[in-house]
Amino acid sequence: MPAGHGLRSRTRDLFARPFRKKGYIPLSTYLRTYKIGDYVDIKVNGAVHKGMPHKFYHGRTGRVWNVTKRAIGVEVNKQVGNRIIRKRIHVRVEHVQPSRCTEEFKLRKVKNDQLKAEAKAKGEVISTKRQPEGPKPGFMVEGATLETVTPIPYDVVNDLKGGY
Amino acid sequence: MPYVKAQKSKSYFKRYQVKFKRRREGKTDYRARTRLINQDKNKYNTPKYRLVARFSNKDIIAQVVHASIAGDIVLAAAYAHELPHYGLEVGLTNYAAAYCVGLLLARRVLKQLEMDDEYEGNVEATGEDFTVEPAESRRPFRALLDVGLVRTTTGNRVFGVLKGALDGGVDIPHSEKRFAGFDKDSKQLDPEVHRKYIFGGHVAAYMRTLMEDEPEKYQSHFGEYIKRGIEPENMEGMYKKVHAAIRADPTCKKSEKEPPKEHKRYNLKKLSYEERKAKLIDRLKALNSADAVENDSDEDDD
């Protein structure tokens, strides 16, 4: 019989619940709120059968474009042939987690605003741009002793003794 | 069988998945809880309030709660042990007391939200089904009944709390099927019977039968009632006064309590992370200084 390419084909392990985490899902998933424009990760929860996205979207991150009663509309990039399409899918909240991809950016924004405000108060000009890590600074090598190593002449008798 | 092999092997424990803590304690029904808490996503942060009614052996606890990720937040609470302030001292866990607690909670919540003038609710407690009508300015306060693990039979005391809250002016979706006095065959609520229960009529009837048939049992069973001079005839009047007192002043009265005494500590206090790290550093320093004295001669060997 042929393999079959149904909606949930090849998802035996992908949609399985992790070890010792089966059964009721923790209620914080239902208490989270999502606003349009937030970034969310899609992670399918095999315990909830409704509103599951297709297995392609498992592990993808997208932006919220719609919020309905029990589901979230997420816009995900998908490569189709030679182009990338922005696909809009609806996913139930159990299969969605808030993404931390913008967390570092948001924190940096806040910190930079604060730094800029401080610098403005003092009257200095600062650059808040991130710089890549440069080469390590030079240093003096301390406590090094010099040891000269020279090769010893080849001694046939001694070397063969161990070998054969 | 004389020798029975041990049932729970090591692999059993390794593979065992514990239930949620409150389920292990047998206190929370998660199936009901998920359905009560789940708020429509397009209502964003609007809280969904639940009217929680729980009964212990000697007390009734009624709270208006809404859920959050950090933990549930209680908006207002009412207990049966507060009823002595309003004039009810005995029978604190019966249907009539449950009604009083529900009424007290409803008035307290409305007063806290400053809606108590708009939503009077049902001042005269008839047993009829009463639903709050929306007033002009604000929509009524809506809560959902959370019974917990109780079996919802007709005439259960949680529905006494429900009725009290409804008459207090809170909007709770309900049906009259489970109120005391609902007739299964005719599928109708008999408001007279329900009213009897709200005013402790069923307790009064039992008192009367005991007085006639078994006076000793009456003395032992209703001793507290007799001590306070509560007769079956004036039960209804007493409850009416309690209802009126609740409506007059539903605010919570804080009792004065002394701060608890300091007890001697019998076991060692757990150290914090910083304290443990500091301890480790001290130990290493002590070791190093002790070793330095011994090992000064050996250092160059390696």
Side-chain angles (χ1 to χ4, degrees):
Chain A
M1 276 189 68
H5 306 287
L7 189 63
R8 286 182 61 170
S9 76
R10 304 167 195 167
T11 58
R12 177 180 185 171
D13 293 323
L14 188 66
F15 286 177
R17 296 290 287 136
F19 182 57
R20 289 193 305 173
K21 292 213 161 64
K22 303 204 203 313
Y24 272 108
I25 68 179
L27 295 192
S28 51
T29 32
Y30 295 105
L31 290 172
R32 292 223 154 82
T33 54
Y34 299 95
K35 295 235 198 74
I36 294 181
D38 287 350
Y39 282 90
V40 292
D41 299 334
I42 296 180
K43 186 175 166 198
V44 172
N45 187 323
V48 179
H49 302 138
K50 291 196 166 188
M52 259 196 206
H54 184 257
K55 65 176 185 279
F56 168 80
Y57 299 102
H58 180 93
R60 310 277 159 188
T61 306
R63 280 180 60 248
V64 178
W65 64 276
N66 186 18
V67 174
T68 67
K69 201 161 116 161
R70 300 265 182 255
I72 311 257
V74 186
E75 204 174 46
V76 180
N77 288 340
K78 181 176 185 180
Q79 179 175 9
V80 180
N82 61 343
R83 67 202 191 283
I84 296 183
I85 302 182
R86 295 215 311 252
K87 300 212 68 166
R88 295 187 152 192
I89 53 171
H90 281 97
V91 184
R92 264 200 177 214
V93 295
E94 293 92 331
H95 309 291
V96 152
Q97 288 172 355
S99 181
R100 291 182 60 186
C101 58
T102 46
E103 180 183 312
E104 188 253 339
F105 171 63
K106 285 192 193 134
L107 286 176
R108 201 161 48 85
K109 240 187 2 178
V110 170
K111 200 162 70 92
N112 284 348
D113 287 342
Q114 191 196 22
L115 286 174
K116 281 190 207 160
E118 279 173 21
K120 197 159 174 198
K122 283 194 235 161
E124 355 171 292
V125 178
I126 54 161
S127 164
T128 53
K129 289 187 194 244
R130 292 174 295 177
Q131 293 292 346
E133 251 184 67
K136 281 197 285 229
F139 58 98
M140 295 295 282
V141 178
E142 311 264 324
T145 48
L146 286 178
E147 189 186 325
T148 312
V149 179
T150 46
I152 49 172
Y154 183 61
D155 193 355
V156 184
V157 182
N158 270 350
D159 286 331
L160 281 180
K161 248 192 218 170
Y164 78 166
Chain B
M1 267 219 260
Y3 171 68
V4 184
K5 194 169 154 182
Q7 288 284 65
K8 293 190 194 164
S9 61
K10 189 161 176 191
S11 63
Y12 166 84
F13 288 111
K14 280 189 163 195
R15 312 216 59 181
Y16 186 76
Q17 179 186 339
V18 285
K19 299 182 165 55
F20 288 161
K21 183 169 101 155
R22 286 216 114 212
R23 168 66 190 86
R24 278 178 274 142
E25 294 171 3
K27 290 185 184 172
T28 305
D29 173 7
Y30 278 97
R31 182 176 194 274
R33 189 174 153 85
T34 46
R35 284 156 178 76
L36 276 171
I37 283 178
N38 205 353
Q39 173 69 292
D40 298 354
K41 290 300 142 206
N42 43 10
K43 292 189 187 162
Y44 297 102
N45 277 323
T46 317
K48 205 167 192 180
Y49 295 103
R50 0 196 284 271
L51 177 80
V52 170
R54 299 282 187 272
F55 287 79
S56 79
N57 280 341
K58 294 186 190 162
D59 198 2
I60 307 177
I61 303 168
Q63 295 172 323
V64 169
V65 187
H66 68 276
S68 84
I69 294 183
D72 286 1
I73 301 172
V74 178
L75 195 65
Y79 299 83
H81 62 70
E82 292 179 33
L83 291 177
H85 290 300
Y86 298 96
L88 180 67
E89 273 147 19
V90 278
L92 291 180
T93 52
N94 60 24
Y95 196 98
Y99 180 91
C100 294
V101 173
L103 179 64
L104 177 57
L105 178 65
R107 295 314 296 166
R108 213 169 255 182
V109 162
L110 291 178
K111 185 155 186 150
Q112 202 178 349
L113 299 169
E114 285 156 30
M115 290 207 280
D116 53 348
D117 298 316
E118 293 170 51
Y119 290 103
E120 284 286 334
N122 203 4
V123 187
E124 274 255 355
T126 63
E128 276 169 13
D129 191 17
F130 170 78
T131 5
V132 186
E133 252 130 70
E136 293 88 43
S137 50
R138 290 166 77 164
R139 284 178 303 145
F141 181 76
R142 193 184 180 91
L144 307 174
L145 182 67
D146 179 350
V147 286
L149 292 159
V150 151
R151 185 78 185 89
T152 49
T153 50
T154 318
N156 196 316
R157 292 170 295 169
V158 290
F159 300 111
V161 176
L162 172 66
K163 185 77 178 110
L166 286 172
D167 286 354
V170 174
D171 180 19
I172 306 174
H174 65 282
S175 120
E176 47 183 36
K177 187 168 148 191
R178 291 300 178 196
F179 287 138
F182 184 81
D183 191 6
K184 243 191 338 182
D185 304 315
S186 73
K187 298 229 177 20
Q188 272 195 346
L189 174 69
D190 185 357
E192 280 304 312
V193 175
H194 198 201
R195 189 180 177 286
K196 206 164 74 98
Y197 270 78
I198 291 175
F199 286 107
H202 56 305
V203 181
Y206 186 53
M207 279 166 90
R208 286 198 192 95
T209 42
L210 274 190
M211 275 202 292
E212 286 178 20
D213 299 337
E214 288 172 81
E216 305 91 36
K217 192 165 169 199
Y218 175 70
Q219 294 292 341
S220 72
H221 205 88
F222 288 105
E224 293 287 318
Y225 282 75
I226 298 171
K227 217 179 3 173
R228 288 178 177 76
I230 297 176
E231 305 275 307
E233 287 77 30
N234 50 10
M235 292 261 291
E236 186 166 320
M238 177 180 76
Y239 281 111
K240 275 216 177 93
K241 273 203 230 130
V242 175
H243 296 335
I246 289 175
R247 276 184 187 273
D249 180 23
T251 48
C252 174
K253 289 159 192 66
K254 264 192 126 69
S255 60
E256 280 299 317
K257 268 198 277 202
E258 326 146 0
K261 290 189 300 188
E262 284 286 319
H263 288 286
K264 177 175 159 212
R265 221 195 144 82
Y266 290 101
N267 52 358
L268 291 173
K269 190 154 186 228
K270 264 179 115 168
L271 300 173
S272 74
Y273 180 66
E274 270 91 44
E275 284 168 358
R276 274 182 273 144
K277 265 186 114 171
K279 246 188 148 186
L280 178 66
I281 291 175
D282 289 336
R283 274 211 331 258
L284 286 175
K285 275 208 202 126
L287 254 178
N288 281 344
S289 61
D291 275 353
V293 176
E294 292 174 21
N295 285 0
D296 257 332
S297 50
D298 300 340
E299 250 175 28
D300 294 310
D301 269 7
D302 299 23

